[in-house]
Amino acid sequence: MIISDWKVRDVDEIWRLCDLVKIVVLVKDIPDLTDIKIGQDRRPILVSVKRKINDLDKRALESAVQLKEKYGGEVVTLSLGDEKTRTTILDALSSGADSAYIINDKELIGLDALTTAKVLSFALKKLAPFDLVLCGEMSLDTLSSQIGARIAEILNISQVMYARRIDLVGNKIKVERELEYCEEVVEAELPAIVSVIREINEPRIPSLMNIMKAKRKPVIEWDSKTLGLSVEELKKLSAIEILDVKAPLVERKRIMIKGETPEEVAEKLVEALRSEGVLRDLQ
Amino acid sequence: MTGILVYSEDLDLQLQLLSKGRELSNNLAAKLYALVIGSNVEGHVASVLNYSDAVITIENKSLEHYDVELYKIGVVEAVKRVNPDVILIGATKFGKELAARTAAALDAGCMTECISLNIDKEGNLLAERLIYGGSSIALEKSRRKPHIAVISKNIFKRLEPSTKVAEVLRLDTDHPKSKVQILEKREKSKSDTGLEEASIIVAAGRGFKKKEDLDLLRELSSILGSKIGCTRPISADNGWLDEWIGISGKKVKPRLYIAFGISGTIQHAAGIRGSQIIVSVNQDEAAGIFEISDYGILGDLYTILPALIKVLKKVKKTES
Ligand SMILES: Cc1cc2nc3c(=O)[nH]c(=O)nc-3n(C[C@H](O)[C@H](O)[C@H](O)COP(=O)(O)OP(=O)(O)OC[C@H]3O[C@@H](n4cnc5c(N)ncnc54)[C@H](O)[C@@H]3O)c2cc1C
Ligand SMILES: Nc1ncnc2c1ncn2[C@@H]1O[C@H](COP(=O)(O)O)[C@@H](O)[C@H]1O
């Protein structure tokens, strides 16, 4: 299969509605942003930073699990990750996913959005038939916001982004979504890919029992070969190259103002702000 | 001749991007195209005439709603017609999904959250963009045409309109029935609170327990002549204020920013980085906001805020 002109047009043949709902949640394993330190050279240090599931993907998973609780069916997660993802994904399995698919291949690390979406689309095709793919509005590490829309185009399925409420109605999905100017309630044909925003829900905290159970749930690893992907072709297709990453230098004074009473503290603050010259209108 | 194609359904943002596009078009000796798509585009077209060399319009009844599948067909048609080297798209929510969807249709790369754009010697597009939640900046290169960049509001300045008037090119496109149907649409009453231009901002986080308690902040704000901001949960979860500050909200650059009951998450911090002086009041010693503050006060906002109001009132009185 040639990746570059691979667009699935024979949707009806590939997808059939299952009797029970099958939902695939795209779960990305990202560095814990609060754990990133900045080195002498102003470069963020990522080795040995803890990893966790992208916050929005946990919310996507929570939505999927709620739909499953309502209608029955199956929830699986799909991640393009690495050898550490197995550990991170336990959190998803504890939170209600039935099984996890991880694409773990040294050759598939550090891809751009274009090629990441291609790889995930290949994997989704292998997971078909399904009714719904849920993902986050964006990866909080790369702030890229592309994967959901790209997959919708590649697989030619319904695209509904920025959901704050999701429900299934017959063989369609009903979504309340939010833009800057308006809120919309839309109905889309299945299969569909839906991205969620932070406000959609608060993900559950898994119980100890579910954490224990998660360890026995299936985790399936795939690589480029299982997906039938040509790594060489993918690399040729990749369009964006990262040349450098730096943390801007912002020096803050970090002075703690202390005093016996709130008034004393307030007076000291006002004094400090006046000498900074930022209370101009009062001076 | 190469081209630069600029799209945003947000007119202000499109004019800002056309202004940046003008600068790039001078470097590339490219023609600058404004793309306007919708069901009723006359007003919008008229407003971009003095900012571009040509305006491409796609007008069709089926484009009444922001349907990404149908709009994508429009952008792709425009790209086929003028074959641009660079495509700039405004980073509204709709702009972001449209950019990614179009990029996929064109098998092109796409850089989002860009804060600067340049053309390198080979004619490739270089962008600085925010990453790690907005705490770092990556320098990225798009090495294949068309180069697509997605840019938020107020990154680039809008120039004065030129006296030259663009030609208008109408494209007819076919739009199949969309897979997504709109059942209901509620317009949001959007009040622009002027946070981006404010010179002093006082801001509320979840340290505030009730909506009414914001009155305290309003009192302080009126003494300081400031604007009021907040974190995302105060606005999006509680609905207490219209706009929030941060990576997904407004990015502000006042000379003084005072945070009350804000923990200082990366997503919020990314929006206040440009402030000259940051002050924070928080009762948790370990709150991250203290790390990025010039002055910190460890304490209960419900006692500090009234004290601050009292002191400022006193100062104002003795000095007037
Ligand atoms: C995709 C995405 C985008 C986001 N974008 C943004 C964004 O643009 N802007 C944004 O703000 N957030 C954003 N968020 C949310 C962000 O992750 C945090 O949830 C949010 O910033 C926390 O807001 P907060 O500081 O008000 O609340 P909390 O984190 O709950 O902090 C409340 C603070 O108040 C202190 N406090 C409590 N009571 C008192 C008291 N009486 N006196 C003094 N201090 C007190 C506490 O110690 C605590 O530090 C985003 C999240 C996601 C997933
Ligand atoms: N490597 C990945 N593995 C699985 N899902 C991903 C991956 N990258 C992105 N996604 C999904 O796509 C969403 C948007 O990501 P992005 O386009 O990278 O901002 C995320 O919230 C995830 O749900």
Side-chain angles (χ1 to χ4, degrees), chain B residues 153-222:
Chain B
K153 218 163 179 165
N154 296 325
I155 301 284
F156 299 121
K157 277 218 170 59
R158 169 174 161 181
L159 301 176
E160 290 300 314
S162 109
T163 49
K164 255 180 52 195
V165 179
E167 57 181 318
V168 178
L169 235 114
R170 287 181 203 287
L171 285 191
D172 276 327
T173 47
D174 278 334
H175 300 273
K177 185 167 172 292
S178 175
K179 296 187 201 55
V180 180
Q181 300 302 319
I182 296 228
L183 303 178
E184 237 183 282
K185 188 169 175 173
R186 287 186 293 272
E187 305 287 337
K188 280 194 211 167
S189 59
K190 238 191 72 193
S191 55
D192 186 2
T193 44
L195 279 170
E196 281 151 326
E197 289 79 40
S199 54
I200 301 183
I201 293 172
V202 295
R206 290 208 305 194
F208 280 84
K209 300 291 171 292
K210 295 198 302 290
K211 187 177 180 183
E212 299 76 62
D213 298 345
L214 289 179
D215 287 344
L216 275 173
L217 200 64
R218 293 206 174 83
E219 191 177 352
L220 175 70
S221 182
S222 74

Side-chain angles (χ1 to χ4, degrees), chain B residues 87-98:
Chain B
I87 305 173
L88 305 182
I89 297 182
T92 57
K93 287 184 156 193
F94 178 65
K96 285 202 248 183
E97 58 169 325
L98 180 62

